[in-house]
């Protein structure tokens, strides 16, 4: 249930947000750095800029990399040998990947 005044605050402050949650989400996403897209990486390469990439398998590492301004954070099947202790990456399942991707979200 909406608290008194929440909808009026949202209409005035967040371009017509329909709920306090939507208003909060707009404020939060406005504070995030813009996402890097493939076209951005292509443009960076064509300008000769260096592209910084790192592999992260957990939330603390991903967060530190993001705060440091790393352009791309990778999570690959090397999680099998680095984190899961497998001899190679062949045994890494989609379930393993989904689990580790959810850790850095």
């Amino acid at each position: 249930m909406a608290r008194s005044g929440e909808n009026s605050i949202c209409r005035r402050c967040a371009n017509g947000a329909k709920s306090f949650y939507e208003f909060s989400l707009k404020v939060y996403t406005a504070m995030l750095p813009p996402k890097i897209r493939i076209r951005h990486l292509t443009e960076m390469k064509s300008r000769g800029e260096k592209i910084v990439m790192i592999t992260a398998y957990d939330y603390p590492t991903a967060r530190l990399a993001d705060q440091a301004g790393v352009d791309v954070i990778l999570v690959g099947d090397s999680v099998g040998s680095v984190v899961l202790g497998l001899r190679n990456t062949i045994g890494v399942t989609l379930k393993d990947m989904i689990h580790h991707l959810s850790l850095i979200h």
Side-chain angles (χ1 to χ4, degrees):
M1 178 172 202
R3 286 180 272 175
S4 175
E6 280 183 350
N7 287 334
S8 61
I9 291 171
C10 294
R11 276 193 290 278
R12 287 193 308 250
C13 298
N15 297 328
K18 295 180 179 107
S19 67
F20 187 71
Y21 170 78
E22 188 177 335
F23 169 73
S24 300
L25 186 59
K26 285 185 178 198
V27 170
Y28 172 74
T29 54
M31 295 181 342
L32 295 174
K35 291 185 178 184
I36 300 289
R37 306 281 186 209
I38 297 295
R39 69 179 163 83
H40 296 120
L41 296 173
T42 304
E43 291 167 0
M44 289 172 73
K45 182 179 178 184
S46 68
R47 290 190 300 264
E49 294 180 35
K50 295 189 184 284
I51 299 171
V52 179
M53 296 183 173
I54 190 170
T55 300
Y57 300 112
D58 58 25
Y59 177 76
T61 306
R63 184 172 174 149
L64 286 171
D66 189 46
Q67 289 174 345
V70 171
D71 297 315
V72 178
I73 301 171
L74 306 167
V75 178
D77 60 358
S78 59
V79 71
S81 54
V82 176
V83 177
L84 301 176
L86 302 175
R87 298 183 98 178
N88 56 44
T89 60
I90 295 172
V92 177
T93 65
L94 181 58
K95 184 177 178 181
D96 294 331
M97 293 305 303
I98 290 170
H99 171 74
H100 284 280
L101 286 169
S102 71
L103 295 177
I104 64 155
H105 176 68

